[in-house]
């Protein structure tokens, strides 16, 4: 199954993740997360298969997250509202986001990538 990599070109963590994927010879479809963020349905599926809580998908260190005061708002939002919000702005999503439809990872940790994406 093909791998989709959602990243942002200016993101240092994304650069490390791409370098790792390239060095390991992992082929992937590169998607600019801001220009083409995953849909609400895609995000819902990725949260489900990642087995991570929805809050792990937020880019909590991002300016947009802070500007919108999401730290205090998330706890009062429904999951549906959160998926809608994340799908509306790729800058709110923690990156890189990598999936093959059967599993998904958020952020970059070499051990996690080795476990999930190494052939």
């Amino acid at each position: 199954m093909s791998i989709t990599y959602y990243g942002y070109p200016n993101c240092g963590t994304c650069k490390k993740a791409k370098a790792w994927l390239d060095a390991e010879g992992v082929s992937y479809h590169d998607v600019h997360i801001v220009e083409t963020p995953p849909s609400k349905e895609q995000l819902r599926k990725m949260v489900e298969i990642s087995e991570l809580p929805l809050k792990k998908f937020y880019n909590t260190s991002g300016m947009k997250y802070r500007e919108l005061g999401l730290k205090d708002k998330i706890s009062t939002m429904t999951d549906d509202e959160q998926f809608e919000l994340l799908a509306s702005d790729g800058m709110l999503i923690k990156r890189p986001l990598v999936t093959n439809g059967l599993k998904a990872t958020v952020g970059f940790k070499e051990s996690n990538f080795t476990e999930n994406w190494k052939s």
Side-chain angles (χ1 to χ4, degrees):
M1 189 164 257
S2 67
I3 293 174
T4 302
Y5 164 94
Y6 291 92
Y8 184 65
N10 297 338
C11 165
T13 306
C14 294
K15 290 175 186 176
K16 289 178 192 170
K18 273 180 107 164
W20 185 92
L21 290 168
D22 292 340
E24 293 296 330
V26 177
S27 66
Y28 55 91
H29 175 65
D30 191 352
V31 178
H32 192 297
I33 200 164
V34 177
E35 293 173 0
T36 313
S39 70
K40 190 167 124 175
E41 293 74 27
Q42 289 170 312
L43 285 164
R44 192 179 299 276
K45 170 91 172 153
M46 285 186 255
V47 168
E48 181 185 317
I49 61 179
S50 73
E51 298 180 356
L52 293 170
L54 177 53
K55 67 181 180 182
K56 293 283 188 191
F57 281 71
Y58 282 93
N59 177 14
T60 57
S61 60
M63 279 189 348
K64 192 74 162 218
Y65 182 87
R66 290 192 301 269
E67 282 172 13
L68 295 174
L70 293 178
K71 182 178 141 199
D72 302 320
K73 293 180 184 173
I74 288 174
S75 60
T76 63
M77 295 171 71
T78 65
D79 283 359
D80 206 48
E81 289 170 330
Q82 290 185 61
F83 283 118
E84 192 77 43
L85 178 64
L86 286 169
S88 74
D89 190 337
M91 291 303 277
L92 291 174
I93 302 170
K94 184 171 181 167
R95 50 196 185 257
L97 185 54
V98 183
T99 186
N100 65 359
L102 301 174
K103 53 190 169 183
T105 58
V106 182
F108 175 69
K109 198 189 269 182
E110 189 171 339
S111 59
N112 196 17
F113 265 48
T114 300
E115 181 182 324
N116 288 284
W117 310 121
K118 195 166 182 172
S119 311

